[in-house]
């Protein structure tokens, strides 16, 4: 497979914060329709890697190619337009709007939340909202005020808001933190469903969850990749046990 066939090709990526290399010459390839999980101890550089891919942080060196387009000098909003979606740890939903409205304002036509009040909802947008709500398990909650949703449902709503943009790469940082066992199970099903149409990168600590969803696991340590492969292989790796799984 040539490098152009990947959804994402990260090569020799480095970022220094005052001389400290949070990401150190890291190389990583993600296939289209792959669900990759990144694990590793606190401070390994996992969140920083997502920051670099989405453009929140600028790389000091190396390359990030998305569908063979170089991203490193591109602004964050341009990367969104190219098809990169990023979910942060705390959900950013509009608590006072309904689930429907939250999804509607996320439609890429780019209306502000205030402009949405005057917006005449087209059939196209309405159909997309319903399809996405179905995907994230909120089809019965469309008229509910988002602030009244459970913690887990808020997380799914935010994933839905990202899906409204039809991203080809979706990145999620610790999506099941604070969720109940049932919500975790539903989130696993949700992620397995949505990676059929796109590449997904998930950072997660819960090993049961990782085992359930990962196509492949990347283990990060000190800004580098320590191990990469199927869950069983990574779990049996003595270096991984030493720096992470053993604790
Ligand atoms: P992880 O998500 O794997 O726990 P992070 O990517 O958050 O790790 O952090 C990796 C390292 O980089 C940590 O030592 C952290 O303190 C440092 N770091 C992250 N962002 C910045 C920043 N903007 N400025 C300085 N140091 C940072
Ligand atoms: Mg982190």
């Amino acid at each position: 497979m040539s490098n152009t066939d990947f959804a994402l090709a990260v090569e020799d990526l480095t970022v220094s914060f005052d001389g400290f290399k949070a990401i150190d010459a890291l190389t990583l390839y993600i296939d289209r329709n792959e669900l990759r999980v990144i694990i590793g101890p606190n401070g390994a550089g996992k969140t920083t890697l997502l920051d670099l891919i989405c453009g929140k942080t600028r790389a000091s060196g190396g390359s990030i190619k998305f569908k063979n387009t170089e991203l490193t000098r591109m602004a964050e909003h341009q990367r969104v337009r190219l098809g990169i979606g990023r979910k942060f740890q705390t959900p950013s939903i509009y608590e006072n709007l309904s689930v429907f409205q939250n999804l509607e304002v996320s439609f890429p036509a780019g209306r502000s939340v205030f402009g949405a009040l005057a917006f005449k909802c087209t059939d196209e947008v309405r159909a997309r909202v319903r399809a996405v709500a179905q995907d994230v398990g909120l089809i019965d909650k469309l008229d509910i005020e988002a602030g009244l949703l459970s913690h887990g449902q808020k997380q799914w709503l935010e994933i839905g808001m990202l899906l409204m943009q039809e991203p080809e790469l979706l990145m999620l940082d610790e999506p099941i933190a604070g969720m109940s066992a049932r919500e975790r199970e539903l989130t696993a099903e949700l992620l397995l469903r949505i990676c059929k149409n796109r590449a997904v990168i998930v950072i997660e600590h819960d090993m049961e969850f990782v085992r359930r969803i990962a196509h492949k696991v990347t283990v990060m340590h000190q800004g580098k990749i320590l191990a990469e492969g199927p869950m069983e292989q990574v779990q049996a790796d003595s270096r991984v046990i030493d720096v992470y799984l053993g604790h």
Side-chain angles (χ1 to χ4, degrees), residues 68-128:
N68 216 30
T69 299
E70 181 60 52
L71 297 183
T72 42
R73 269 169 293 280
M74 221 177 256
E76 203 168 353
H77 70 272
Q78 290 175 297
R79 302 188 201 198
V80 170
R81 220 173 294 142
L82 265 185
I84 296 180
R86 159 84 182 274
K87 187 188 174 311
F88 290 88
Q89 276 162 294
T90 38
S92 53
I93 58 172
Y94 303 103
E95 301 252 338
N96 300 324
L97 296 186
S98 70
V99 168
F100 184 96
Q101 289 170 320
N102 268 278
L103 293 172
E104 187 204 344
V105 297
S106 305
F107 190 76
R111 289 170 312 278
S112 76
V113 70
F114 305 104
L117 294 172
F119 174 67
K120 200 158 146 282
C121 191
T122 67
D123 289 345
E124 185 202 357
V125 178
R126 206 174 290 134
R128 264 283 273 301

Side-chain angles (χ1 to χ4, degrees), residues 17-18 20 22 40-49 51 57 173-174 203:
F17 298 120
D18 299 322
F20 165 74
N42 283 331
K46 305 180 298 296
T47 298
T48 303
L49 176 61
D51 289 345
T57 300
D173 200 344
E174 303 188 17
I203 294 176

Side-chain angles (χ1 to χ4, degrees), residues 46-244:
K46 305 180 298 296
T47 298
T48 303
L49 176 61
L50 299 198
D51 289 345
L52 287 162
I53 296 168
C54 79
K56 187 169 173 265
T57 300
R58 287 296 161 121
S60 313
S63 157
I64 305 169
K65 288 202 187 77
F66 173 62
K67 297 188 298 175
N68 216 30
T69 299
E70 181 60 52
L71 297 183
T72 42
R73 269 169 293 280
M74 221 177 256
E76 203 168 353
H77 70 272
Q78 290 175 297
R79 302 188 201 198
V80 170
R81 220 173 294 142
L82 265 185
I84 296 180
R86 159 84 182 274
K87 187 188 174 311
F88 290 88
Q89 276 162 294
T90 38
S92 53
I93 58 172
Y94 303 103
E95 301 252 338
N96 300 324
L97 296 186
S98 70
V99 168
F100 184 96
Q101 289 170 320
N102 268 278
L103 293 172
E104 187 204 344
V105 297
S106 305
F107 190 76
R111 289 170 312 278
S112 76
V113 70
F114 305 104
L117 294 172
F119 174 67
K120 200 158 146 282
C121 191
T122 67
D123 289 345
E124 185 202 357
V125 178
R126 206 174 290 134
R128 264 283 273 301
V129 167
R130 294 193 66 82
V132 166
Q134 188 78 54
D135 253 353
V136 299
L138 294 174
I139 192 72
D140 298 330
K141 302 274 185 280
L142 283 174
D143 297 327
I144 297 202
E145 207 173 292
L148 299 175
L149 297 175
S150 73
H151 170 75
Q153 290 167 335
K154 286 180 184 172
Q155 303 288 327
W156 301 333
L157 176 56
E158 199 185 10
I159 294 172
M161 291 165 76
L162 291 165
L163 291 177
M164 286 300 289
Q165 325 235 0
E166 301 194 299
E168 286 175 65
L169 171 65
L170 186 62
M171 302 188 285
L172 308 155
D173 200 344
E174 303 188 17
I176 61 166
M179 282 190 184
S180 68
R182 176 70 185 142
E183 287 175 333
R184 284 167 189 236
E185 176 52 30
L186 290 169
T187 305
E189 287 168 14
L190 189 170
L191 293 179
L192 289 168
R193 208 158 48 233
I194 66 177
C195 74
K196 299 225 166 74
N197 302 316
R198 58 183 55 82
V200 178
I201 302 176
V202 179
I203 294 176
E204 197 42 71
H205 288 291
D206 182 315
M207 285 305 124
E208 276 309 308
F209 188 76
V210 175
R211 191 171 300 111
R212 174 89 168 82
I213 64 168
H215 297 168
K216 254 194 212 169
V217 178
T218 295
V219 187
M220 282 183 66
H221 180 51
Q222 296 177 344
K224 294 181 170 41
I225 291 179
L226 183 67
E228 190 167 276
M231 182 69 177
E232 314 80 67
Q233 180 188 316
V234 157
Q235 258 185 312
D237 189 316
S238 60
R239 294 165 310 163
V240 177
I241 294 166
D242 281 350
V243 308
Y244 186 58

